[in-house]
């Protein structure tokens, strides 16, 4: 009798433990409610930013969330355990926020393996390289728990594009200006096409400036950048690449590193300015400064743009020595000189379409312009904080005119200053 009773107890214990182990598979939210006596951390909002480069998942709340991430195979999935968090409608929205075309995440499920833990399971298309980290409050954001989902074997879209176009081999010639060395009107024949890196400012979590009608700088910058790319690519002498081609966040140092990876001949960062006074207007072009900003406004703008990493969210636990070296304060006198020169060409062309905020190229310590070996400019197309200029920035025809002005300036610069036909 005693042995039979012990067997029944063992069987009952095993059954309870098995139910506990499988409980996370249950989904109904009502089953996971935590009594009011427990002060559960609050998740105020969730966001998902899918892109080919990586997908970012954000959980935001008024305080940090203790968490643990585990990767599982067969099938591929990520298990994110959140300590003391209740399954609310805000968290449940993750399931509806997922994009059907997300390259990495196919679905999300919720469960509770133990009473104090909410488990979020992300079903995956394939194996991934995940990163999870916390961000402290900044600007209008509270505490953010960030999950970045990268592919195991990332394909570099910039290098793939350049290889497809075979720009290092058989390419059209770059014309020289009349009076250049050699036969008058002859064409120089470098062994490659000109490579221009176009950098749409902000993206993803970082909206940039917001106009009075709710226009986001990140959307305007991407729209003009795409138009500029089409214009430059239509010229047989130029091949352009975008540092981002969708609405996702790219750290400032990585933007520079992308341009250097494709050995760009020019880096052009596209933005839309903002100021606390709505009457501020006009277009501007900036180059890097080694010795301080040329005006208080330029210094203020550089500080604002350099805060993009704080807004967008950079994982500071990941140290990339190549990125760190990219932003060293190296001797950049030659780069700055060339940047000022191309900036003047672009500014002159923009002046035919829009009022200029300042008649000369300005300088300030923009982190995104610190590639030591690539001429780099930052174009503030117009003031998105000005209601009239915001309308221009929202208008497809005006976006096209801005792109044409920038493109014409770039082509005029390279007509007189063809890049060296160095080995790449």
């Amino acid at each position: 009798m005693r042995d039979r009773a012990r067997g029944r107890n063992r069987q009952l214990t095993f059954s309870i433990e098995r139910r506990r182990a499988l409980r996370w598979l249950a989904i109904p939210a009502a089953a996971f409610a935590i009594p009011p006596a427990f002060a559960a951390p609050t998740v105020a909002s969730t966001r998902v930013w899918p892109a080919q480069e990586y997908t970012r998942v954000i959980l935001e709340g008024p305080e940090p969330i203790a968490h643990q991430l585990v990767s599982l195979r067969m099938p591929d999935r990520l298990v994110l355990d959140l300590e003391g968090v209740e399954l609310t409608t805000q968290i449940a929205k993750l399931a509806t926020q997922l994009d059907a075309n997300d390259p990495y995440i196919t679905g999300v499920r919720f469960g509770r393996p133990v009473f104090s833990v909410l488990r979020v399971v992300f079903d995956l298309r394939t194996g991934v390289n995940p990163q999870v980290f916390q961000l402290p409050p900044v600007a209008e954001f509270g505490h953010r728990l960030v999950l970045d989902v990268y592919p195991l074997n990332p394909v570099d879209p910039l290098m793939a594009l350049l290889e497809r176009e075979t720009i290092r081999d058989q390419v059209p010639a770059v014309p020289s200006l009349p009076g250049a060395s050699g036969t008058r009107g002859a064409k120089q024949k470098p062994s490659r096409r000109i490579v221009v890196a176009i950098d749409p400012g902000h993206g993803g979590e970082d909206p940039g400036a917001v106009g009075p009608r709710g226009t986001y700088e990140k959307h305007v910058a991407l729209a003009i950048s795409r138009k500029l790319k089409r214009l430059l690519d239509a010229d047989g002498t130029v091949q352009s690449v975008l540092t981002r081609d969708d609405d996702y966040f790219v750290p400032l140092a990585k933007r520079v590193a992308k341009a250097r990876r494709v050995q760009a001949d020019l880096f052009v960062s596209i933005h839309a300015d903002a100021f606390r006074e709505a009457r501020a207007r006009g277009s501007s072009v900036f180059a890097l400064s080694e010795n301080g900003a040329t005006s208080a406004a330029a210094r203020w703008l550089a500080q604002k743009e350099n805060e993009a990493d704080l807004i967008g969210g950079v994982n500071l636990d990941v140290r990339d020595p190549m990125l760190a070296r990219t932003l060293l304060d190296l001797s950049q006198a030659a780069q700055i000189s060339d940047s000022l020169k191309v900036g003047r060409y672009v500014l002159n062309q923009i002046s035919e379409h829009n009022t200029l905020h300042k008649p000369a190229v300005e300088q300030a310590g923009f982190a995104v312009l610190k590639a030591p070996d690539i001429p780099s400019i930052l174009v503030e197309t117009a003031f998105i904080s000005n209601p009239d200029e915001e309308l221009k920035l929202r208008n497809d025809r005006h976006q096209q005119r801005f792109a044409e002005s920038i493109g014409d300036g770039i082509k005029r610069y390279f007509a007189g200053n063809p890049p060296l036909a160095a080995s790449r």
Side-chain angles (χ1 to χ4, degrees):
M1 289 288 288
R2 244 180 237 169
D3 290 343
R4 193 175 303 145
R6 277 204 224 63
R8 280 199 302 269
N9 288 340
R10 280 197 298 269
Q11 187 176 6
L12 179 61
T13 301
F14 174 78
S15 178
I16 292 172
E17 292 300 323
R18 186 171 182 271
R19 284 200 301 272
R20 284 177 179 170
L22 297 177
R23 190 179 299 169
W24 67 271
L25 291 173
I27 294 177
F32 306 142
I34 296 177
F38 293 86
T42 303
V43 174
S45 64
T46 59
R47 295 177 292 281
V48 181
W49 303 102
Q52 286 297 324
E53 193 161 320
Y54 74 107
T55 291
R56 169 165 287 192
V57 179
I58 303 283
L59 303 179
E60 183 181 349
E63 61 274 320
I65 299 174
H67 61 278
Q68 184 174 7
L69 181 68
V70 178
S71 295
L72 299 176
R73 301 295 305 273
M74 301 178 65
D76 293 301
R77 59 206 185 277
L78 295 176
V79 177
L80 180 64
D81 284 342
L82 308 175
E83 182 68 36
V85 174
E86 186 176 359
L87 179 59
T88 62
T89 56
Q90 289 297 333
I91 299 180
K93 283 181 180 177
L94 276 174
T96 60
Q97 291 171 337
L98 289 177
D99 191 317
N101 297 318
D102 190 303
Y104 308 110
I105 302 175
T106 62
V108 61
R109 296 174 284 135
F110 305 94
R112 194 170 288 285
V114 295
F115 177 74
S116 61
V117 173
L118 174 65
R119 175 163 289 174
V120 185
V121 180
F122 296 94
D123 296 312
L124 306 173
R125 297 187 189 278
T126 183
V128 298
N129 177 26
Q131 294 181 14
V132 64
F133 55 97
Q134 298 263 19
L135 292 173
V138 62
E140 72 273 19
F141 296 109
H143 290 273
R144 286 174 289 171
L145 178 62
V146 180
L147 171 64
D148 285 344
V149 182
Y150 293 92
L152 282 177
N153 300 301
V155 176
D156 189 332
L158 302 183
M159 294 304 296
L161 173 63
L162 296 185
E163 288 169 3
R164 284 199 306 270
E165 297 294 333
T166 62
I167 66 170
R168 292 179 175 82
D169 300 316
Q170 299 174 354
V171 295
V174 178
S176 64
L177 286 181
S181 59
T183 306
R184 184 177 180 86
K187 291 184 176 182
Q188 300 180 17
K189 293 192 66 176
S191 60
R192 58 180 177 82
R193 288 161 69 183
I194 298 166
V195 181
V196 177
I198 304 171
D199 175 51
H202 308 282
E205 277 290 279
D206 175 22
V210 182
R213 292 177 175 83
T215 310
Y216 283 4
E217 179 183 3
K218 65 176 183 177
H219 296 323
V220 169
L222 182 59
I224 295 175
S225 295
R226 283 172 170 167
K227 289 176 171 62
L228 176 59
K229 174 176 170 55
R230 285 196 294 269
L231 288 167
L232 291 178
D233 289 349
D235 186 312
T237 65
V238 179
Q239 175 64 59
S240 63
V241 293
L242 294 171
T243 60
R244 71 173 177 95
D245 58 1
D246 210 336
D247 184 14
Y248 60 95
F249 173 70
V250 183
L252 297 174
K254 193 169 184 180
R255 296 169 187 264
V256 180
K258 285 184 173 187
R260 299 191 75 215
R261 194 159 66 245
V262 299
Q263 299 183 343
D265 299 295
L266 177 65
F267 178 89
V268 183
S269 193
I270 306 297
H271 292 258
D273 212 344
F275 197 60
R276 55 182 173 267
E277 296 179 5
R279 68 173 181 269
R281 64 186 301 117
S283 304
S284 304
V285 177
F286 292 86
L288 182 66
S289 171
E290 288 185 296
N291 304 308
T294 50
S295 69
R299 181 167 54 252
W300 175 84
L301 179 63
Q303 181 179 351
K304 180 175 70 70
E305 297 294 358
N306 290 347
E307 290 173 351
D309 280 355
L310 299 177
I311 303 295
V314 175
N315 185 2
L316 297 178
D317 291 333
V318 177
R319 304 294 180 183
D320 188 330
M322 286 300 294
L323 295 186
R325 284 198 296 272
T326 296
L327 294 186
L328 287 176
D329 290 328
L330 304 174
S331 175
Q332 296 180 310
Q335 184 261 41
I336 291 175
S337 175
D338 289 340
S339 301
L340 290 170
K341 188 180 294 185
V342 67
R344 284 191 287 270
Y345 278 97
V346 171
L347 195 66
N348 287 340
Q349 293 304 118
I350 291 179
S351 68
E352 297 183 7
H353 171 58
N354 197 44
T355 303
L356 296 183
H357 185 64
K358 288 287 181 68
V361 178
E362 294 197 78
Q363 293 178 261
F366 292 91
V368 79
L369 300 182
K370 288 191 175 182
D373 49 356
I374 305 173
S376 305
I377 60 172
L378 185 146
V379 179
E380 295 285 358
T381 50
F383 275 83
I384 202 169
S385 53
N386 181 298
D388 294 333
E389 293 204 327
E390 182 190 18
L391 286 176
K392 281 187 174 182
L393 292 169
R394 291 165 64 102
N395 181 276
D396 186 77
R397 183 171 60 87
H398 282 288
Q399 290 177 357
Q400 182 70 22
R401 291 288 303 278
F402 277 119
E404 290 171 356
S405 299
I406 298 169
D408 288 345
I410 290 171
K411 287 185 279 189
R412 285 173 180 265
Y413 166 75
F414 279 117
N417 304 271
L420 297 176
S423 171
R424 296 204 160 205

